[in-house]
Amino acid sequence: MSNIMLGVDIGTTSTKTVAFTLEGQVLAQHVVEYPLLCSTPGMAEQDPQLIYRAVLTSIAEAVKAANATCTGARRVVLVSFSAAMHSVIALDGNNNLLTNSITWADNRASEWSSRIRDEFNGNEIYRRTGTPIHPMSPLCKLMWLRHDQPDVFARAARFAGIKEYVFFRLFGSWQVDHSIASATGLFNLQELNWDKDALALLGISAAQLSEPVPATHHMKGLDAAIAAQLGLNPDTPFVIGANDGVLSNLGVNAIRPGQVAVTIGTSGAMRTVIDKPLTDPSGRTFCYALIEGHWVVGGPVNNGGNIFRWVRDELATAESAAARCAGVDPYDALTRIAERVPPGAAGLLFHPFMAGERAPLWNADLRGSFFGLALHHGKQHMIRAALEGVIFNLYSILPAIEDLIGPTKRMMATGGFARSALWRQMMADIFQREVVVPESVESSCLGAAVLGLYALDMAPSLDVISDMVGSTNRHLPIAANAAIYDRLRPIFMSLPGKLQQEYQALSEFQRQSALVQPSQPLQSLRSSH
Ligand code: ADP
């Protein structure tokens, strides 16, 4: 019986713990979900105490399910953490909560985000901190808090993210890994410390923030009662770990130059690893820390699998219902309908900006549209165009990444979209690259566990991941399809830039007339990527 490592991912809708053998084989997992609190427009908060309890439960249940014991051969030898980026919690001088955890999905700082960009030299702050100036970032959120809730801001002795809060509850001290810190907009990438000018802009001091430590930092000495609750030895090392985006790259083995990890779950992201921090003069990409000599640049998109879900639930309602009646997964049924029409959907394009968009345009006012509708188009074209639009949109991040780091080669793809062979092939054809879909489903948890092995000197480097990730599906570009997409891609990419004013006017109209509810359906928010 082999020893066990636990990877824990504190996500936006759930915390998941996966128990692996030290060779990366999944033994057991346990997920605990929690709600996103959204009682006012733009708000997306979570209860930190609920998340702390979810972390304990998911660890305890995974330990139980893996039949681990505190001593003996099947022992948990490490617990290592991944977490969603960009969360902020305010606490008073006695470490009492003053706010919930304000998540990446909270949009209330959007006005302050624009003002920081335009009036406070936002691009310079981005160049030093690697976090795009966007309402998702703690920099913008704290600016909003300072002005919108000045009493709370004034009483706050400390600001921390959700993983820091969980570690504080477990070990009693406030530390933040460089990876989560690098996604706050407050962390100087060159100095690996809090950025003085960003703090000055907010009127806060470094003493109000956690102590930055490398992602390999680990702690021991759990309280005996908590250890008993978790089924762990109190001396089990807890590795602080990194953020879920960079760990996903590690978990799919995309950590060498030229390898790109693309995720399409509910939202999406494209990321690649480089050896030093790098930001984009035009502010299109993020740069987050993994470990020394490993930095992740890339871009997140709001519009990924949520688009296919909208197609399933709003556009192809009847087809989806019929599929359900026949016991078929509606996504599979719709994929088959899309397959009836050739690549390019007979010249129909779909811009998937239904939730505004982050990279590479960083414009919350963008809106979705079909472009080029003609009478010969039917629903099958619309479904195919929507799937293609999601990939075209992700593709549009690639030039920003390649401008920074040079040409990229192989792509590792993950997320729910990868269940569809059609969608995977579209990715190979539109990107004109080999697309490999690894076996590992929980890439952030596996990435966390492997980082844990490295942190505890149980692995010589992160490269041990290559023996743990099998590859199930490979797709090579089909030349005839690629030629079609070559013709359509420039049309797709040039339109948004031309319609800035119209997008702005229309989204303003939508806001005023309340024709739409909050811009992102709350159940569709999953991960920060
Ligand atoms: P999350 O990001 O929430 O963890 P997933 O990675 O499971 O979510 O991705 C969910 C998305 O995957 C769905 O919104 C849908 O677009 C897509 N998806 C799920 N099943 C299929 C399928 N069989 N074929 C194509 N796409 C699918």
Side-chain angles (χ1 to χ4, degrees):
M1 282 275 165
S2 135
N3 277 332
I4 292 174
M5 52 185 185
L6 299 183
V8 184
D9 181 29
I10 307 172
T12 312
T13 52
S14 65
T15 287
K16 178 176 288 177
T17 299
V18 183
F20 300 95
T21 65
L22 301 191
E23 292 73 41
Q25 189 198 337
V26 176
L27 294 171
Q29 55 175 290
H30 193 82
V31 181
V32 180
E33 300 199 342
Y34 28 76
L36 208 50
L37 309 170
C38 314
S39 51
T40 57
M43 169 183 167
E45 296 185 351
Q46 288 174 321
D47 178 350
Q49 309 196 62
L50 207 58
I51 295 184
Y52 171 66
R53 287 198 293 275
V55 170
L56 297 187
T57 307
S58 80
I59 293 176
E61 293 299 323
V63 167
K64 233 183 273 168
N67 287 322
T69 52
C70 289
T71 51
R74 205 169 168 107
R75 209 163 44 89
V76 174
V77 294
L78 69 92
V79 186
S80 182
F81 284 77
S82 158
M85 293 170 252
H86 313 306
S87 60
V88 184
I89 305 165
L91 302 108
D92 71 12
N94 296 316
N95 294 312
N96 295 314
L97 295 168
L98 295 175
T99 64
N100 276 321
S101 175
I102 308 174
T103 71
W104 67 273
D106 195 293
N107 265 328
R108 287 171 295 177
S110 57
E111 192 188 324
W112 276 105
S113 153
S114 310
R115 290 192 60 184
I116 291 173
R117 215 176 9 229
D118 300 339
E119 298 169 30
F120 298 99
N121 227 349
N123 198 39
E124 277 308 304
I125 301 177
Y126 156 74
R127 296 298 296 271
R128 295 196 306 277
T129 65
T131 307
I133 305 297
H134 182 271
M136 69 182 183
S137 88
L139 169 79
C140 299
K141 290 190 167 83
L142 289 176
M143 196 71 162
W144 165 78
L145 197 66
R146 180 183 179 181
H147 291 90
D148 197 79
Q149 299 181 26
D151 296 349
V152 171
F153 192 85
R155 283 171 58 210
R158 174 171 298 283
F159 301 104
I162 188 62
K163 187 160 57 157
E164 294 145 73
Y165 177 75
V166 169
F167 266 72
F168 171 75
R169 295 285 302 265
L170 291 171
F171 295 102
S173 60
W174 290 100
Q175 268 110 11
V176 60
D177 59 84
H178 290 164
S179 180
I180 289 281
S182 64
T184 58
L186 306 172
F187 189 71
N188 190 301
L189 302 183
Q190 301 295 340
E191 296 170 6
L192 288 181
N193 211 339
W194 299 116
D195 185 85
K196 291 181 194 60
D197 291 342
L199 300 199
L201 176 64
L202 296 173
I204 64 172
S205 71
Q208 289 175 273
L209 302 173
S210 302
E211 175 202 1
V213 293
T216 49
H217 182 80
H218 43 95
M219 294 180 219
K220 281 184 186 177
L222 280 179
D223 174 82
I226 295 178
Q229 186 187 345
L230 298 181
L232 299 177
N233 187 311
D235 281 336
T236 310
F238 274 54
V239 180
I240 198 163
N243 73 50
D244 57 359
V246 303
L247 284 174
S248 174
N249 263 66
L250 173 57
V252 299
N253 190 22
I255 52 171
R256 274 176 285 281
Q259 296 178 337
V260 179
V262 186
T263 308
I264 307 180
T266 300
S267 57
M270 182 188 291
R271 302 178 213 91
T272 189
V273 173
I274 51 171
D275 61 2
K276 57 178 185 313
L278 213 53
T279 50
D280 173 39
S282 331
R284 291 170 297 175
T285 50
F286 57 67
C287 178
Y288 300 142
L290 176 51
I291 57 166
E292 206 187 323
H294 290 71
W295 294 81
V296 176
V297 292
V301 297
N302 290 344
N303 302 289
N306 54 343
I307 297 300
F308 200 16
R309 184 156 66 195
W310 176 83
V311 168
R312 183 192 69 180
D313 296 342
E314 306 293 339
L315 184 66
T317 324
E319 291 80 355
S320 301
R324 279 193 197 97
C325 282
V328 175
D329 176 352
Y331 287 127
D332 291 338
L334 297 184
T335 302
R336 256 173 257 138
I337 293 175
E339 257 166 348
R340 290 188 209 142
V341 294
L348 179 62
L349 294 177
F350 177 72
H351 285 97
F353 310 129
M354 298 181 76
E357 194 47 290
R358 290 187 283 171
L361 301 164
W362 297 96
N363 183 350
D365 288 336
L366 296 184
R367 288 294 179 267
S369 54
F370 282 103
F371 183 74
L373 267 173
L375 289 172
H376 64 268
H377 290 131
K379 207 178 269 185
Q380 62 274 31
H381 297 94
M382 298 170 90
I383 298 168
R384 182 165 192 125
L387 298 179
E388 291 176 342
V390 169
I391 307 287
F392 274 136
N393 184 39
L394 261 168
Y395 177 89
S396 64
I397 303 174
L398 193 65
I401 292 181
E402 293 200 325
D403 282 353
L404 279 183
I405 65 152
T408 57
K409 296 184 286 267
R410 201 167 71 137
M411 302 183 42
M412 312 292 284
T414 53
F417 98 106
R419 283 176 218 142
S420 156
L422 177 78
W423 222 354
R424 295 194 303 262
Q425 184 62 45
M426 266 178 204
M427 183 175 274
D429 294 340
I430 289 177
F431 278 79
Q432 299 191 18
R433 278 169 183 72
E434 180 185 13
V435 170
V436 177
V437 182
E439 228 165 75
S440 60
V441 273
E442 301 307 336
S443 53
S444 297
C445 289
L446 180 59
V450 168
L451 176 64
L453 282 179
Y454 173 70
L456 297 167
D457 286 331
M458 294 166 73
S461 75
L462 299 181
D463 289 337
V464 291
I465 187 73
S466 60
D467 295 329
M468 301 187 185
V469 181
S471 59
T472 41
N473 290 295
R474 279 168 190 274
H475 294 261
L476 290 170
I478 297 170
N481 299 353
I484 294 170
Y485 292 130
D486 261 349
R487 290 179 61 194
L488 293 174
R489 196 191 299 106
I491 308 173
F492 178 97
M493 287 174 69
S494 75
L495 270 172
K498 293 184 175 149
L499 296 173
Q500 297 288 336
Q501 282 183 359
E502 288 75 10
Y503 283 130
Q504 197 188 347
L506 199 62
S507 64
E508 185 57 32
F509 175 86
Q510 291 179 352
R511 273 191 292 273
Q512 281 171 3
S513 59
L515 278 174
V516 284
Q517 297 304 310
S519 58
Q520 288 164 296
L522 296 170
Q523 69 275 22
S524 78
L525 296 170
R526 274 283 184 174
S527 72
S528 56
H529 293 305

